[in-house]
Amino acid sequence: MTHRRTGLWLIGAFGGVGSTVALGLAALRQKLTDCNSLVTALPLFRDCPLDDPSDFVLGGHDIRRTDYVREVQALHERANIFRSDWLKACRLILNEWSSNVRPGFAADSGAAIAALADWGEAAAPKPAADIIAQIQTDLLEFRDRNALEQMAVVHVASTEPAFPLETIHFSLTRLKTAVSGSQSVLPSSSLYAWAALDLGLPYVNFTPCLGASVPALLELALERKAVIAGQDGKTGETLLKSVLAPLFVARNWQVLSWVGHNVIGNRDGMILDHQENKSAKLQTKSKVIAEILGYQPQTPVSIEYCPSLDDWKTAWDLIHFRGFLDVKMSLQFTWQGCDSVLAAPLVLDLARLALLAQGRGEVGILPHLACFFKNPVGVVEHDFFKQFTLLEQYVRDLKNSPAVSN
Ligand SMILES: NC(=O)c1ccc[n+]([C@@H]2O[C@H](COP(=O)([O-])OP(=O)(O)OC[C@H]3O[C@@H](n4cnc5c(N)ncnc54)[C@H](O)[C@@H]3O)[C@@H](O)[C@H]2O)c1
């Protein structure tokens, strides 16, 4: 492992995922826990120059005025997760990292998210150029104050409503002109992405928000030599779909319908209970089955908000399929997972892998990270095993050629 002072900047820092990342990093630093659940801790990555998560310093933006101790304590009490002695042991580090979090921006993130905001002027309309400049000031101040040698930005904020692209989003020159005007042309998630990429920082979008999935922002990443990964972490029902659908292909069973019913009780679920936010999530969840099968069966997906479940999400899926001699059969599964605990290690993996790629001189989209996402940018492959093969191949190539020239 490599030891460098590394900054991890989370957009949506105090959310369930952000707070679990914070507790996880603090617990790793204190040697209270191990790297179980980190993909980058697999033997495959032995001898890769990945950064030690114990060296990470955390900062970020949020639109709610709170702190890590309060958020982690709330998860502990409501969802009955995390050991209380670990919370106590990590308190000092969590307090230090809370002081690195700055008020964020949500002017163009839709009404449901604006209603969460209680810090600074998060939801007040402001020129996009001013927002980008303030985000960059916050990032640079974090880097300098903590004497960081490198940093990555990961978006873990609430799901914004879908944002349709127009011709202006396909040209960086035109988008730059538009952003310096007074009209809103990008959602907040893309302003954060812009700020990070423009500083040449690796950027990962763990959410269904638009973020850097804008052709003009890819141009910016190439210009500034920054790497991009996204979109929407694959942690639960969609992960299982991408693992199970290849089975139906391999056995030549025809899937007639695949019904997915998701129930979730945390703040993410509350935001997704708003139709315009939910439709953005359903878009990233809906592609996987047809892409893997090569045809489109009936694939209804629903997401219900059930507050009593808190951070525990349940998915029930029914797969109805046709076997030999037209005999119809079915498979059902129930998945019960702790939302934040499934996501947090992947955020650490993605930060480590994005920093590794950036350090090697790679630029733009990182296709080998497709297995981490529901809607991988720049990759049409959804079969988990084929996606994982991309990652394995990347690691093998990396061990044979330490750096990329560009
Ligand atoms: N947990 C998982 O398994 C999983 C999987 C895939 C994707 N995601 C996505 O990750 C995101 C975070 O999930 P969560 O459970 O932590 O949600 P959460 O609601 O607990 O946390 C989101 C945080 O983002 C903050 N926020 C909202 N808009 C912001 C903005 N414009 N700027 C800065 N901060 C902002 C909120 O105040 C909140 O603290 C969601 O978009 C979710 O869909 C989660």
Side-chain angles (χ1 to χ4, degrees), residues 73-141:
Q73 188 67 34
L75 273 169
H76 171 63
E77 283 163 17
R78 289 197 321 255
N80 198 20
I81 53 176
F82 311 142
R83 286 175 50 164
S84 53
D85 53 331
W86 289 8
L87 263 60
K88 216 183 261 176
C90 294
R91 183 176 271 270
L92 272 180
I93 302 177
L94 293 178
N95 281 336
E96 191 190 315
W97 289 343
S98 293
S99 68
N100 290 334
V101 180
R102 296 286 172 267
F105 302 91
D108 293 303
S109 296
I113 293 177
L116 285 181
D118 67 0
W119 197 11
E121 294 181 323
K126 267 198 192 101
D130 293 359
I131 294 178
I132 293 171
Q134 184 58 54
I135 296 168
Q136 291 186 330
T137 302
D138 295 340
L139 285 164
L140 295 175
E141 191 255 348

Side-chain angles (χ1 to χ4, degrees), residues 300-350:
V301 185
S302 62
I303 305 175
E304 303 298 337
Y305 174 48
C306 179
S308 68
L309 288 179
D310 205 84
D311 208 40
W312 290 89
K313 64 180 169 191
T314 296
W316 168 76
D317 274 38
L318 167 70
I319 305 141
H320 194 211
F321 63 100
R322 188 170 70 92
F324 194 44
L325 299 172
D326 262 356
V327 176
K328 291 180 182 170
M329 295 171 257
S330 68
L331 164 70
Q332 295 178 39
F333 70 78
T334 309
W335 169 259
Q336 283 176 301
C338 182
D339 212 27
S340 307
V341 171
L342 288 167
L346 302 186
V347 168
L348 298 182
D349 286 324
L350 286 163

Side-chain angles (χ1 to χ4, degrees), residues 26 34 39 71 84 192 204 206 208 213 221 242 244-245 260 302 304-305 324 341 359 364:
D34 59 17
V39 175
E71 293 298 317
S84 53
Y192 286 114
V204 177
F206 200 77
S213 299
S242 72
L244 284 175
S302 62
E304 303 298 337
Y305 174 48
F324 194 44
V341 171

Side-chain angles (χ1 to χ4, degrees), residues 10-19 60-66 71 78 102-109 113-114 116-117 122 155-160 188-189 192 205-209 231-236 264 266-272 281 311 313 338-344 346 372 374:
L10 300 178
I11 318 291
F14 289 140
V17 176
S19 303
H61 282 110
D62 207 299
I63 56 170
R64 294 179 306 118
R65 184 194 287 272
T66 175
E71 293 298 317
R78 289 197 321 255
R102 296 286 172 267
F105 302 91
D108 293 303
S109 296
I113 293 177
L116 285 181
H155 194 90
V156 287
S158 314
T159 302
E160 294 169 336
S188 307
S189 63
Y192 286 114
N205 182 5
F206 200 77
T207 76
C209 300
Q231 180 186 9
D232 202 4
K234 189 155 78 169
T235 62
I264 184 167
N266 57 15
R267 193 184 307 103
D268 188 31
M270 184 187 83
I271 292 294
L272 294 176
K281 189 71 157 186
D311 208 40
K313 64 180 169 191
C338 182
D339 212 27
S340 307
V341 171
L342 288 167
L346 302 186
F372 290 95
K374 292 188 189 75

